Amino acid sequence: MIGQLIASALAAPPHLDRDELGKQLFPRFSAAGRIPEGRLSEDYTYARRVGGMPLLLAVRHSQASALLADIHLARAGGVEAAWRAAESNLFEAGPGELSVYTSPAGAAVLVCESEHPRQAAWLAYPERLMEVLGLEIGPRGALFCVPAHRLLGIHILGERSTAETAEDAKAMLELARILGEDEIAPLSGDLFWWRPGKPVVGISSEAVVEGLPAFDTMDG
């Protein structure tokens, strides 16, 4: 318990008043398993789960991010006000610089990149992201990768067969590995699948290599 209290204190945001804290808040993922489940359930009860990863609130402090624990939320006006402020800041900042990568098989991946670790948090808001980017998403949805906190990759799924889609996913997985190889703040080596009206689902790299059996249920 003492160790958890010390860890929470070390993770406290800089000494900002409520207005300044609200201006600097942003949603930030924590890599799956990085924060022990026991500590998440005790110190970060407000956390949201997206594709198996906890989404938390943070502020940028020097070259690091300070996560807000439950004990800090009062200073931010409470949990709902804190989430509203963080999401507003994310949306106002936009999805970063855009590049398009094409695999040898022809799979196009749109990569959103910035120097701020909030970039990957757009995974939690796919509808808003597609609206901002002006992308039309069909019933098969889209694949995402978040190899680092400052990177987000998007591949829109068309009417190709399940086997072809699996090959696209493997190409995207390899691109994610390359993009995240030298990152100082890596996040996930897996892919994530979303389609309109459905939650984001995590797809392990092992499943991709084995043929992406999750795609067998895409039309269900």
Side-chain angles (χ1 to χ4, degrees):
M1 186 62 162
I2 293 177
Q4 290 180 346
L5 291 174
I6 292 174
S8 293
L10 291 175
H15 296 290
L16 303 171
D17 60 30
R18 181 174 296 186
D19 288 341
E20 286 302 311
L21 182 57
K23 292 176 184 177
Q24 296 192 34
L25 279 173
F26 65 94
R28 184 185 191 276
F29 279 115
S30 177
R34 184 162 296 170
I35 300 176
E37 286 297 324
R39 188 173 172 212
L40 274 172
S41 63
E42 290 186 16
D43 294 341
Y44 300 93
T45 60
Y46 72 87
R48 299 173 178 177
R49 297 280 180 167
V50 179
M53 293 190 299
L55 185 68
L56 303 167
L57 296 167
V59 294
R60 193 73 172 145
H61 181 47
S62 185
Q63 296 301 310
S65 297
L67 298 175
L68 269 70
D70 291 345
I71 59 174
H72 307 132
L73 292 176
R75 199 189 328 167
V79 61
E80 295 303 324
W83 274 117
R84 284 195 300 271
E87 291 166 351
S88 177
N89 293 338
L90 177 70
F91 299 156
E92 184 177 352
E97 183 178 347
L98 306 179
S99 303
V100 177
Y101 294 82
T102 304
S103 75
V109 181
L110 178 65
V111 176
C112 306
E113 179 178 356
S114 75
E115 292 305 315
H116 196 287
R118 64 176 159 244
Q119 194 65 49
W122 278 100
L123 177 65
Y125 309 95
E127 293 92 345
R128 183 63 176 266
L129 177 62
M130 299 308 163
E131 179 184 339
V132 170
L133 295 176
L135 299 176
E136 293 187 9
I137 306 300
R140 290 170 67 84
L143 289 176
F144 297 86
C145 64
V146 283
H149 287 279
R150 68 182 198 90
L151 294 168
L152 172 70
I154 308 164
H155 172 60
I156 300 172
L157 296 172
E159 295 304 318
R160 306 180 73 187
S161 69
T162 298
E164 290 173 319
T165 299
E167 289 305 310
D168 288 350
K170 290 177 184 178
M172 189 175 183
L173 195 66
E174 176 62 14
L175 175 62
R177 185 192 66 77
I178 293 170
L179 290 175
E181 200 166 32
D182 297 321
E183 288 291 324
I184 60 173
L187 181 52
S188 175
D190 294 335
L191 297 186
F192 300 85
W193 172 35
W194 165 80
R195 52 180 171 168
K198 300 292 184 179
V200 174
V201 176
I203 303 174
S204 71
S205 56
E206 290 82 3
V208 174
V209 172
E210 291 171 4
L212 216 56
F215 278 13
D216 292 338
T217 64
M218 291 184 69
D219 297 323

